[in-house]
Amino acid sequence: KNQVEQSPQSLIILEGKNCTLQCNYTVSPFSNLRWYKQDTGRGPVSLTIMTFSENTKSNGRYTATLDADTKQSSLHITASQLSDSASYICVAVGLGGGADGLTFGKGTHLIIQP
Amino acid sequence: NAGVTQTPKFQVLKTGQSMTLQCAQDMNHEYMSWYRQDPGMGLRLIHYSVGAGITDQGEVPNGYNVSRSTTEDFPLRLLSAAPSQTSVYFCASSRAGTGTRSGELFFGEGSRLTVL
């Protein structure tokens, strides 16, 4: 069964600090890996989409990495800001089976404290 | 562009009542879908559509109906609401060809439904 596991479940850091969120997936055959940011009470917004051939992708202070061999991804946030407080959702997309091929993680809830 | 618009944002129903959650997108996307989001669980696909006149079931379709008469609109109908359908519902859309497996998915702001 396709699965996406995210860690930690929740994280509290001080403003200005860096942090890294982890995502392990078992989707196969694999197409791409996505990270979404979901502010409280809002819909998810795409941060990055990486195919199996991409190792790193940046979006401002957000940098995602992908190791398709070990089926692991990470999202690194640099110099965190209060606006980074949100849930971060990892999504692994498969080529076959299922309806739309997307398997969602449960998310990491990040809180940035001043 | 408004993107993906969902209405209503909040709704309270009694068990057995029916209602429709509306979803409209102005990006001319072929692909549209409905998800539900529950505490401690990832987003789960309810129904999806790859174009006008075409719909299909997702992971958790029971108790929900959809139709796609136009490219822009994709309403979700609850036929007889149950407390288990208390959730936050998200509509999403994406471009055809890239949509389901390689394209960016655009989400609405969500509709929070409580069934008593």
Side-chain angles (χ1 to χ4, degrees):
Chain A
K1 181 181 178 183
N2 291 337
Q3 285 187 317
V4 171
E5 299 289 339
Q6 292 187 243
S7 62
Q9 283 188 323
S10 60
L11 181 62
I12 301 173
I13 64 172
L14 292 175
E15 185 179 12
K17 299 295 185 182
N18 303 335
C19 67
T20 300
L21 313 180
Q22 301 291 343
C23 173
N24 295 340
Y25 62 94
T26 60
V27 170
S28 182
F30 174 75
S31 174
N32 61 86
L33 192 290
R34 310 174 184 195
W35 285 93
Y36 286 86
K37 179 187 180 189
Q38 185 176 22
D39 293 322
T40 301
R42 308 292 296 273
V45 175
S46 178
L47 290 175
T48 64
I49 300 176
M50 290 186 292
T51 64
F52 64 88
S53 62
E54 296 176 292
N55 298 120
T56 303
K57 204 161 197 177
S58 293
N59 179 357
R61 293 179 296 102
Y62 300 101
T63 300
T65 66
L66 174 64
D67 186 334
D69 292 330
T70 62
K71 300 188 189 314
Q72 294 180 326
S73 178
S74 67
L75 181 69
H76 184 76
I77 303 175
T78 303
S80 61
Q81 300 177 358
L82 296 178
S83 59
D84 293 329
S85 293
S87 285
Y88 291 84
I89 302 171
C90 176
V91 184
V93 185
L95 286 172
D100 62 359
L102 277 66
T103 302
F104 288 80
K106 296 178 182 180
T108 292
H109 186 52
L110 176 63
I111 297 173
I112 310 298
Q113 288 187 337
Chain B
N1 284 351
V4 179
T5 303
Q6 291 184 234
T7 57
K9 293 190 184 305
F10 301 94
Q11 183 71 49
V12 178
L13 291 178
K14 295 181 179 179
T15 297
Q17 287 185 318
S18 63
M19 77 156 300
T20 299
L21 300 177
Q22 301 291 344
C23 176
Q25 52 91 8
D26 61 0
M27 297 174 283
N28 203 30
H29 286 171
E30 292 290 335
Y31 177 84
M32 296 185 74
S33 55
W34 277 101
Y35 293 87
R36 60 178 291 172
Q37 187 175 43
D38 301 294
M41 303 186 73
L43 285 154
R44 293 183 292 169
L45 182 66
I46 304 172
H47 284 285
Y48 68 102
S49 168
V50 298
I54 305 170
T55 63
D56 211 339
Q57 297 182 346
E59 179 186 356
V60 288
N62 293 341
Y64 307 95
N65 272 2
V66 291
S67 59
R68 184 94 181 272
S69 56
T70 67
T71 299
E72 294 78 20
D73 300 299
F74 191 44
L76 178 71
R77 298 183 186 84
L78 282 71
L79 306 176
S80 179
S84 61
Q85 294 179 303
T86 293
S87 187
V88 181
Y89 292 85
F90 288 98
C91 180
S93 73
S94 186
R95 286 188 296 124
T98 62
T100 59
R101 284 178 164 75
S102 60
E104 183 175 356
L105 206 55
F106 293 85
F107 287 87
E109 296 289 14
S111 297
R112 183 176 295 274
L113 175 67
T114 301
V115 183
L116 302 175

